[in-house]
Each structure stands twice: as structure tokens, then as C-alpha cells.
Amino acid sequence: MAAPSENSTSSKSGFVHMTLEELRLRLSSDSKKSKNSMSPPVLGLALDIDETLSQTNLAWFQRLIQLFGNDPRDPARSERSIMAEFHLAQDVPWWRDNTAAMAWMDAQRTSPEAQMGLPVIGGAVEGVRILLELGQRERLDIVCYLTVRPASVIEPYTIKWLNENGFPPRPVVAKPDEPAVPFSKGNEWKAGCLRLLYGVGVHGIVDDNPKLPRCMKEGRVFLEGEGEKIVATSESDSNSDSPSRNLSQHPYPGRVFLYSRDKTEPEYDIACACVDWTTVVVKVKQWAEEGSTGI
């Protein structure tokens, strides 16, 4: 990846777009310096963007209703009602079965300009600010943004959106463009990122997608250049000659703070349901006070 120019949004704002490997190497270097200084470990947190910081779905649902029509059973149905039932636009049957609507969604995902003008999730800016303040007392830090948006839409518009809405400058790691990592494998890719980054300082994430903790618990990952893998998910498996031994081989020890959810599956004990950003702050604070095992 080319270094940002002096006139780029990222260089002016303090944000930087990084690949997963670039961030891993930077954090690895920082971790070695911290160990040499004998400083206590810092609990590191990543932030998702879509539906965690930005109301991307709301903007999409409003536009899809305008362009391709509403629920055939209830033409006056609100976008929030549809969102509550289906969550993702591509799962709404009357748009999923509409070729033009699906093509529009594909175009939006890869359009840099489409990332601007999105409404901010209520409480997100304040919640992130409180977490930063909390970090000064609890040795907690927001390390990066980790998003399944394709890498091609990050500069300048995603970074500009984060900056203009008051989010802190941190590295932004985005899903490699297709075909390197298909859109359908976004959660597996993010699960692989979290496993790779756990040992160098990213111990959890605030994310809205319930499929992510499922991937983490089941050991499903998708790595650029390697494809889909099932990593060992128990201590007894960790002695095997796994091709992914650089991943966290035992059950993932981190946390997924599942934003906008009032419950999570009991078997996915790494997930913590957080109905709003106030709850995110409370749960992360508890996590920080308890400390993280193995860091």
C-alpha cells in the first residue's frame, strides 16, 4: 500500500489505512517495546463501522424503498420495521429477488462516494469518547477500526466520514477487495483478523453481526491468499500440525461486544449482548476492570 500523500485526508487527520499484516507488524513492534519497558499490558479493542458507528442500513433501506419499492404486503411499511425483521438489505425477499436491486447494492458496497453522508448511530460518538477516557484509568485502548467494507472505499471517504463525525484517529483495516476475499466471507475474514491480532494487542471488538462470534467459536476463518480454514478450537488440538498455527489455536479468549442485540446464543460465550452504546460502555468497563486472561 502506498504511503498517504501530504494532502490526503488520512495524513491530515491522523487516520491511516493499513492492511492486516501492516497493522500486525506495527502492533508486534509496539508489544515488544512495552514488554521491554515492563509496562502493564493494555487491553486492546477494535471497532466495526457499519451498523456499529454508521447507520448504513437505514440509509440503504430508505433508498431501496425509493428505487425498488416497499413490502408488497404493506406498501406503507417503515424502513425500521423491515430492518427489525431482516436486518440486512440483501436478505429482504422483494429486493433479494430483484436483479436490479441486488446490482444496486453491489455498486454501493464498492462506491467510495457512497460511504459519505451516512447518519451516525445514536450514542456512538459519545460512547467512544467515554471509552477513550476510561482507557486512561483502566489501561484500555481503541486500537483500530476493523471493517468488511472493501479496501478500495476507505480512502478518502470512509476516513473522511470518521474524522468529520468526531471518531478518534486510528488505523483502519478493511477487507481486501474481491476476489481476494469475497463479500460472503466477510465474517470469516474478520474472525481470522481477530485471531491473528489477539497476541499483539487486539483483545476484543464492538461489532453488530451475530455471525462473527459464531465464526470465532467454530474456528472458521478466511485468510487472504490461503482461503477458508477451520482452525483448532480446543487446547488438545493445538499440538496438531495446523497450517494456521499463527492463529489463536485454543478457544478464542477475547470478547465480541455485540451491538444492538439484547441477547446472544448461550453457546457463544465470547459474545456480550449490548442493546445500545450505553450498554457497550458498561460492559467494556466491566471487562477492563476484570482484566483479560492471557494478555
Side-chain angles (χ1 to χ4, degrees), residues 8 10 48 91 101 131 149 159 209 212 226 236 273 277:
S8 72
S10 53
D48 177 40
D91 293 334
L131 290 180
R149 289 185 182 186
I159 285 175
N209 199 319
L212 178 59
E226 297 185 43
S236 60
W277 264 95

Side-chain angles (χ1 to χ4, degrees), residues 161-177:
W161 183 92
L162 289 166
N163 186 47
E164 290 183 351
N165 285 289
F167 292 104
R170 294 293 188 274
V172 181
V173 176
K175 182 185 74 64
D177 291 343

Side-chain angles (χ1 to χ4, degrees), residues 85-133:
E85 181 176 355
F86 297 103
H87 187 59
L88 297 174
Q90 62 264 29
D91 293 334
V92 177
W94 54 92
W95 298 330
R96 182 192 61 211
D97 298 335
N98 184 322
T99 303
M102 294 298 287
W104 181 88
M105 291 183 226
D106 287 339
Q108 290 297 104
R109 290 189 193 100
T110 57
S111 168
E113 294 83 359
Q115 317 313 315
M116 286 300 293
L118 298 172
V120 180
I121 294 281
V125 174
E126 178 69 4
V128 171
R129 182 189 64 77
I130 294 172
L131 290 180
L132 289 175
E133 293 176 355

Side-chain angles (χ1 to χ4, degrees), residues 87-286:
H87 187 59
L88 297 174
Q90 62 264 29
D91 293 334
V92 177
W94 54 92
W95 298 330
R96 182 192 61 211
D97 298 335
N98 184 322
T99 303
M102 294 298 287
W104 181 88
M105 291 183 226
D106 287 339
Q108 290 297 104
R109 290 189 193 100
T110 57
S111 168
E113 294 83 359
Q115 317 313 315
M116 286 300 293
L118 298 172
V120 180
I121 294 281
V125 174
E126 178 69 4
V128 171
R129 182 189 64 77
I130 294 172
L131 290 180
L132 289 175
E133 293 176 355
L134 173 67
Q136 297 174 9
R137 303 188 301 274
E138 302 289 348
R139 295 198 61 77
L140 169 77
D141 192 22
I142 294 171
V143 178
C144 66
Y145 300 94
L146 185 60
T147 176
V148 296
R149 289 185 182 186
S152 56
V153 308
I154 301 305
E155 294 192 82
Y157 293 104
T158 294
I159 285 175
K160 185 177 181 182
W161 183 92
L162 289 166
N163 186 47
E164 290 183 351
N165 285 289
F167 292 104
R170 294 293 188 274
V172 181
V173 176
K175 182 185 74 64
D177 291 343
E178 297 198 33
V181 179
F183 171 73
S184 62
K185 297 299 178 183
N187 286 296
E188 288 86 347
W189 170 80
K190 190 176 283 187
C193 292
L194 290 170
R195 286 180 176 274
L196 284 168
L197 295 174
Y198 185 87
V200 293
V202 178
H203 307 107
I205 188 170
V206 184
D207 198 288
D208 71 293
N209 199 319
K211 294 178 182 178
L212 178 59
R214 188 176 305 152
C215 289
M216 301 302 296
K217 288 293 287 187
E218 294 173 358
R220 290 187 287 119
V221 301
F222 192 103
L223 302 176
E224 183 181 11
E226 297 185 43
E228 191 164 12
K229 295 177 180 291
I230 303 293
V231 301
T233 56
S234 69
E235 293 287 358
S236 60
D237 291 334
S238 63
N239 294 322
S240 66
D241 293 327
S242 167
S244 302
R245 297 184 77 178
N246 56 333
L247 296 169
S248 177
Q249 297 288 307
H250 47 73
Y252 178 67
R255 292 289 180 272
V256 178
F257 296 93
L258 205 54
Y259 173 74
S260 79
R261 302 288 169 168
D262 59 2
K263 62 181 179 180
T264 185
E265 298 298 328
E267 62 267 31
Y268 303 134
D269 54 356
I270 62 168
C272 178
C274 303
V275 69
D276 53 23
W277 264 95
T278 298
T279 310
V280 170
V281 170
V282 170
K283 296 295 186 180
V284 172
K285 185 174 186 294
Q286 291 173 350

